[in-house]
Amino acid sequence: MSMNLYPSFGLLLVDDEPSFLRSLSIALERSGGITHLHRCQDSREVMDILARENIGLVTLDLTMPHLSGEELLRRIVEEHPDVGVIVISGLNQVETAVDCIKLGAFDYFVKTDEQDRLIEGIKRAIRLQELRHENQELRRRFLNDTLERPEAFARLVTDDKGMRSVFQYLESVAPSSQPLLIGGESGVGKELIARAAHELSERPGPLVCVNVAGLDDNVFADTLFGHQRGAFTGADQARAGMIEQAAEGTLFLDEIGDLSMASQVKLLRLLQEGEYYPLGSDRPKRMRARIVVATHHDLDARQREGSFRKDLYYRLRTHQVQIPPLRRRKGDIPLLLDHFLAEAADELGKARPTYPPELPVLLANYAFPGNVRELRAMAYDAMSVHRSRTLSMEVFKRAIDPSQAPPSPTENGATERAVFAPDEPLPTLHEVADLLVHEAMRRAEGNQSIASRLLGISQPALSKRLKKMRESGPEPL
């Protein structure tokens, strides 16, 4: 199996003691999962390696023959300012440490200190370098308004600027091994976004999807971590968990907001330690998959009210995207309608139909609580009963029925209502009725049938009202 190197940039270990280089390399691979390593014993070769390789971080011994660590630090900061430097010295001298930090070192460690502190410091520096690279890449993509891998988003039918921004962000954070949190209402396509993120990452392993809603703590642990033979009654043979099945790939956990508190603790420990224990085993296994999670819940609100752990929430939101609902992407409705009708026609063995021009207008005035999934269901239902050349609108009208549909929610979750200036006189009922009629006709693009449905009145009643308005004077601006 091909190995997916972590991090995406190289880590250069510089020390004239080969035994220290060897022990540090082993510790980084075992404890930190850090495999993208370069080693150098001769300080004179460091600048050539930096010019030749994609190095993002250097650990630098301070006392070496030929070129000292302090001199190398000055040259690296001057010639490669994007490369982070961690100084490792055999001497515990505060003054030297302060001088190195002033010169531009990221951190300073003493060799005789506990190795765990050094490993944690290197992991922390890697995370900061990753975030800096991602920010630079994100800024470049937004400024150029480019998508370098549009094929990764082929399954997502959209022409929306908000969705394009999501795609650009995903391209920027794709190389990261940190968790990705995907938010959005049910039916917006969160699993498709997870698949795109996996494809962009170019990780050699598979994408493994698990819906964790409704899993109790024991089932959650067994599903993710697997078990040894005899771990519990009925465990006749060992079974690999989803984390192991997703090795070198991506593990997608859907509906993460419904996870129990006990399971949240297990997931947090997995993210913090990067290792786990299969049920019935006392030997840890290292996680070699990237975690992507999705939820339709507002996790920020849930952690404030105490139903979701704050520490887990902040771990998961290292990278996050929010998928806009369909009612905020009305320009996508005709594209999606064409796509789903063609897909349904091919699946049902029917000719692709034409549809009345009023249909996209009708759909644009619907809130779509089920989002893209609901529109797809409508299109498939309409195609299943389609017989003539032109598609009937009746299936869509029955599904929508604006007289029973809930009002479209606003950004803060409250229903929209008219707000009148307190220092202005209230309009009369007659004036408000005229304004409603004008707004309905505007939204329906002049189609009286659709406008009457929006107003909850019959079309003859609307025609009568419009005629009376025309006779009474010019339309208000």
Side-chain angles (χ1 to χ4, degrees):
M1 179 187 288
S2 60
M3 192 70 176
N4 192 50
L5 295 177
Y6 173 74
S8 58
F9 52 81
L11 171 58
L12 176 61
L13 312 179
V14 183
D15 199 294
D16 62 323
E17 297 180 24
S19 59
F20 178 77
L21 284 179
R22 187 166 55 253
S23 65
L24 181 57
S25 299
I26 293 170
L28 287 170
E29 289 186 31
R30 287 182 178 174
S31 303
I34 299 165
T35 55
H36 199 168
L37 299 174
H38 301 261
R39 291 185 286 191
C40 177
Q41 293 176 229
D42 191 334
S43 58
R44 293 170 296 184
E45 298 175 3
V46 170
M47 299 310 293
D48 288 338
I49 294 173
L50 291 178
R52 186 173 68 248
E53 304 288 345
N54 175 28
I55 303 295
L57 185 65
V58 176
T59 65
L60 194 59
D61 183 23
L62 206 56
T63 309
M64 293 183 292
H66 310 302
L67 284 174
S68 71
E70 196 168 332
E71 185 178 348
L72 265 177
L73 174 60
R74 284 194 179 92
R75 290 188 61 183
I76 292 171
V77 169
E78 182 180 339
E79 297 179 32
H80 301 276
D82 290 342
V83 176
V85 180
I86 291 178
V87 173
I88 304 174
S89 173
L91 302 173
N92 188 0
Q93 296 177 332
V94 175
E95 202 172 307
T96 304
V98 171
D99 288 342
C100 289
I101 299 299
K102 284 182 178 178
L103 286 172
F106 176 78
D107 214 335
Y108 183 99
F109 291 94
V110 180
K111 284 186 180 180
T112 54
D113 285 354
E114 292 182 10
Q115 195 174 60
D116 288 348
R117 289 187 60 236
L118 174 58
I119 301 299
E120 286 304 312
I122 291 174
K123 287 163 69 175
R124 186 167 57 249
I126 287 173
R127 286 195 293 270
L128 287 173
Q129 283 292 81
E130 284 179 333
L131 288 173
R132 191 174 61 80
H133 289 172
E134 287 157 12
N135 286 336
Q136 289 176 343
E137 185 64 15
L138 190 59
R139 187 162 56 245
R140 182 184 70 81
R141 290 178 195 275
F142 274 114
L143 288 174
N144 296 333
D145 194 24
T146 58
L147 277 179
E148 294 184 2
R149 296 277 307 280
E151 69 279 2
F153 308 102
R155 300 184 192 91
L156 290 144
V157 179
T158 182
D159 196 28
D160 182 73
K161 286 192 68 174
M163 290 294 286
R164 185 176 179 84
S165 297
V166 168
F167 297 167
Q168 290 171 328
Y169 179 81
L170 287 174
E171 282 192 338
S172 299
V173 303
S176 173
S177 62
Q178 296 300 309
L180 170 66
L181 170 61
I182 304 170
E185 297 176 7
S186 295
V188 292
K190 296 188 287 294
E191 184 172 337
L192 291 178
I193 291 291
R195 291 184 181 280
H198 172 68
E199 185 174 335
L200 289 167
S201 73
E202 297 185 338
R203 300 178 71 91
L207 171 69
V208 176
C209 303
V210 185
N211 189 319
V212 299
L215 297 184
D216 65 32
D217 187 48
N218 291 330
V219 176
F220 173 79
D222 186 32
T223 301
L224 257 64
F225 308 143
H227 61 256
Q228 296 289 95
R229 181 180 178 183
F232 50 84
T233 304
D236 299 327
Q237 56 185 10
R239 186 182 66 79
M242 294 298 187
I243 296 173
E244 190 171 338
Q245 293 178 36
E248 308 300 338
T250 303
L251 178 63
F252 174 52
L253 304 178
D254 201 3
E255 301 300 350
I256 198 73
D258 295 319
L259 211 56
S260 70
M261 277 293 184
S263 297
Q264 289 178 34
V265 173
K266 288 181 170 64
L267 180 58
L268 175 64
R269 190 173 297 130
L270 173 70
L271 294 173
Q272 285 178 334
E273 306 299 331
E275 60 183 27
Y276 63 96
Y277 291 84
L279 299 184
S281 172
D282 57 0
R283 298 183 62 183
K285 289 191 173 185
R286 175 142 284 298
M287 179 175 70
R288 294 181 292 130
R290 185 190 190 183
I291 300 291
V292 175
V293 301
T295 181
H296 68 278
H297 292 293
D298 182 347
L299 289 191
D300 184 50
R302 288 177 74 86
Q303 63 88 15
R304 279 189 271 109
E305 70 187 21
S307 58
F308 199 86
R309 292 183 63 98
K310 288 186 178 182
D311 43 10
L312 177 58
Y313 170 61
Y314 289 116
R315 278 277 179 181
L316 292 174
R317 60 169 288 182
T318 305
H319 303 304
Q320 58 178 327
V321 292
Q322 187 73 21
I323 313 304
L326 187 55
R327 63 179 171 276
R328 292 197 355 232
R329 298 160 41 197
K330 292 189 175 180
D332 283 347
I333 290 176
L335 296 175
L336 289 163
L337 179 63
D338 288 337
H339 174 74
F340 290 138
L341 288 175
E343 189 178 75
D346 290 344
E347 189 172 314
L348 296 169
K350 296 183 178 182
R352 300 186 185 187
T354 58
Y355 52 79
E358 309 95 277
L359 180 56
V361 180
L362 175 72
L363 296 175
N365 285 283
Y366 179 54
F368 278 103
N371 290 291
V372 179
R373 186 183 295 136
E374 184 180 8
L375 177 56
R376 183 180 185 275
M378 287 183 185
Y380 269 71
D381 191 22
M383 276 305 303
S384 66
V385 298
H386 172 61
R387 294 291 181 269
S388 59
R389 180 174 296 179
T390 303
L391 191 71
S392 170
M393 291 176 55
E394 288 309 308
V395 168
F396 297 94
K397 288 179 179 178
R398 283 198 306 272
I400 290 172
D401 196 6
S403 65
Q404 299 177 15
S408 174
T410 57
E411 293 300 316
N412 61 10
T415 54
E416 293 186 71
R417 57 187 177 91
V419 179
F420 301 101
D423 55 346
E424 294 287 336
L426 285 171
T428 66
L429 284 173
H430 180 77
E431 290 169 336
V432 170
D434 285 353
L435 288 170
L436 275 173
V437 169
H438 283 299
E439 178 62 16
M441 289 295 290
R442 184 190 68 78
R443 293 190 182 193
E445 298 181 10
N447 187 292
Q448 291 188 24
S449 175
I450 295 174
S452 64
R453 293 177 66 86
L454 292 173
L455 293 168
I457 61 176
S458 67
Q459 186 173 342
L462 176 60
S463 297
K464 186 176 179 181
R465 181 91 195 183
L466 287 169
K467 182 179 179 183
K468 190 181 294 185
M469 289 166 61
R470 284 193 294 270
E471 292 172 350
S472 64
E475 296 181 358
L477 295 176

